[in-house]
């Protein structure tokens, strides 16, 4: 069973052969939770793929919000892409330090703002390092580029949208958090949030879509089986959620690979829904 969108993945070999292409732009979109050291930026400064620019998820976001790294305005996104030397005509390759945990967020944001020529480095930085790929610590040259954002509202959902969907169940909701956070048996990692999940949602931890050894995406048949096993029907609309809208994008990416092109992401995710005065929740397994 081949991928429906094999162009959404590039190999380490392909990237190594195209690093000198001025219209191939590389983004390191690694992310760590607040307070974890060394920070993702420090890791990037210590060694990144040559020419890669750091995609700070907390910077490419709307400032002044009470929730973490919420989507920016089209104007701010355009500005942040230009700062990173990305134009509308460039091919963008994204990676992260884990294989696929936060790179999906950069991939989704680019598509959300109308840039479809974006691919994920299969296996990410772990595979690149394992193969002896070159790393550099120097700041990359930033070419002058113009980026014009074209926002696609179909790829994002608000809390109000999800509240409505709990009642009408028009869309399936799949939660990328670990099973213990989903069922409420584990401590919630976002301070001040309740334990549990959005009523009616299904659970597929994001790290299950990649091979634990190579960090590469599992094959199309295995991905389809994972979603089916989680109770997600691939012929119906899907919304992905997680803790704060980052790893949900890993599920959106995996679904895109196997042909579900219009997966939406609940941007506020559990950091919003799980607030003490938030909407109703459920605990225990999906039902």
């Amino acid at each position: 069973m081949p991928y429906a969108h094999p162009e959404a993945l590039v190999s380490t070999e392909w990237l190594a052969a195209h690093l000198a292409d001025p219209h191939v732009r590389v983004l390191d979109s690694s992310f760590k939770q607040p307070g974890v050291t060394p920070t993702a930026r420090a890791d990037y400064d210590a060694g990144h793929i040559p020419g890669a620019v750091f995609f700070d998820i907390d910077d490419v976001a709307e400032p002044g919000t009470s929730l973490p790294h919420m989507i920016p305005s089209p104007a701010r996104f355009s500005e942040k892409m230009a700062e990173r030397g990305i134009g509308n005509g460039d091919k963008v390759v994204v990676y992260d330090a884990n294989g696929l945990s936060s790179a999906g967020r950069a991939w989704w944001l680019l598509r959300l703002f109308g840039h479809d020529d974006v691919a994920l480095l299969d296996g990410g930085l772990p595979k690149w390092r394992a193969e002896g790929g070159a790393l550099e610590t120097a700041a990359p040259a930033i070419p002058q580029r113009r980026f014009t954002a074209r926002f696609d509202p179909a790829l994002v959902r608000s809390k109000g949208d999800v509240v409505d969907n709990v009642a009408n169940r028009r869309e399936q909701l799949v939660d990328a958090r670990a099973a213990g956070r989903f069922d409420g048996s584990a401590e919630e990692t976002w301070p001040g949030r309740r334990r549990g999940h959005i009523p009616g949602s299904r659970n597929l931890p994001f790290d299950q879509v990649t091979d634990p050894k190579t960090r590469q995406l599992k094959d199309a048949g295995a991905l389809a089986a994972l979603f089916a096993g989680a109770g997600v029907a691939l012929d119906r609309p899907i919304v992905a959620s997680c803790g704060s809208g980052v790893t949900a994008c890993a599920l959106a990416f995996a679904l895109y690979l196997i042909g579900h092109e219009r997966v939406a992401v609940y941007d506020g995710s559990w950091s919003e829904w799980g607030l003490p005065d938030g909407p109703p929740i459920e605990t225990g397994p999906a039902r």
Side-chain angles (χ1 to χ4, degrees):
M1 179 180 175
Y3 291 133
H5 290 288
E7 75 284 355
L9 277 176
V10 299
S11 67
T12 49
E13 295 81 6
W14 184 95
L15 182 58
H18 289 82
L19 281 179
D21 186 330
H23 287 286
V24 172
R25 304 293 297 143
V26 185
L27 292 175
D28 182 325
S29 60
S30 301
F31 172 76
K32 292 182 178 179
Q33 295 289 347
V36 176
T37 57
T39 64
R41 177 65 201 226
D43 288 342
Y44 166 85
D45 290 339
H48 52 266
I49 293 175
V53 181
F54 190 60
F55 185 100
D56 186 340
I57 286 171
D58 287 320
D59 180 52
V60 187
E62 191 64 20
T65 64
S66 61
L67 298 172
H69 37 256
M70 297 294 285
I71 59 171
S73 67
R76 182 173 175 86
F77 189 80
S78 295
E79 173 190 335
K80 293 301 176 182
M81 291 307 96
E83 286 178 3
R84 288 159 175 80
I86 294 171
N88 294 101
D90 291 326
K91 180 177 186 66
V92 183
V93 177
V94 299
Y95 73 88
D96 67 44
N98 294 312
L100 175 55
S101 59
S102 53
R105 178 72 179 189
W107 170 86
W108 173 74
L109 279 170
L110 281 156
R111 293 187 65 244
L112 179 68
F113 289 103
H115 194 89
D116 292 330
D117 196 1
V118 53
L120 185 89
L121 177 62
D122 198 15
L125 191 60
K127 188 170 188 290
W128 182 270
R129 284 182 177 274
E131 295 169 349
L135 297 173
E136 68 179 17
T137 57
I142 305 295
Q144 288 193 337
R145 290 285 197 273
R146 179 181 176 84
F147 189 97
T148 302
R150 301 179 301 277
F151 180 67
D152 184 355
L155 295 181
V156 67
R157 295 290 181 272
S158 68
K159 183 176 78 171
D161 295 329
V162 179
V163 167
D164 290 345
N165 192 66
V166 168
N168 59 47
R169 303 295 171 97
R170 290 195 183 98
E171 298 177 315
Q172 304 167 99
L173 194 74
V174 57
D175 190 324
R177 294 177 302 155
R181 290 179 67 194
F182 177 86
D183 65 23
S185 61
E187 186 69 34
E188 177 49 48
T189 59
W190 280 105
R193 270 61 173 185
R194 298 169 291 168
R195 297 187 189 190
H197 57 265
I198 298 169
S201 56
R202 301 290 175 171
N203 182 220
L204 180 60
F206 77 94
D207 57 0
Q208 293 188 20
V209 304
T210 51
D211 182 283
K213 293 182 179 179
T214 68
R215 308 297 178 93
Q216 292 176 276
L217 269 292
K218 293 181 178 177
D219 64 60
L223 290 177
L226 279 174
F227 285 100
V232 179
L234 296 178
D235 59 350
R236 292 187 55 220
I238 301 171
V239 176
S241 73
C242 59
S244 63
V246 176
T247 59
C249 301
L251 296 189
F253 180 81
L255 286 160
Y256 182 84
L257 269 186
I258 60 176
H260 211 303
E261 292 92 352
R262 307 300 291 170
V263 176
V265 170
Y266 170 27
D267 195 32
S269 284
W270 200 252
S271 64
E272 180 176 43
W273 195 279
L275 287 166
D277 59 350
I281 63 171
E282 289 180 346
T283 56
R287 59 179 186 270

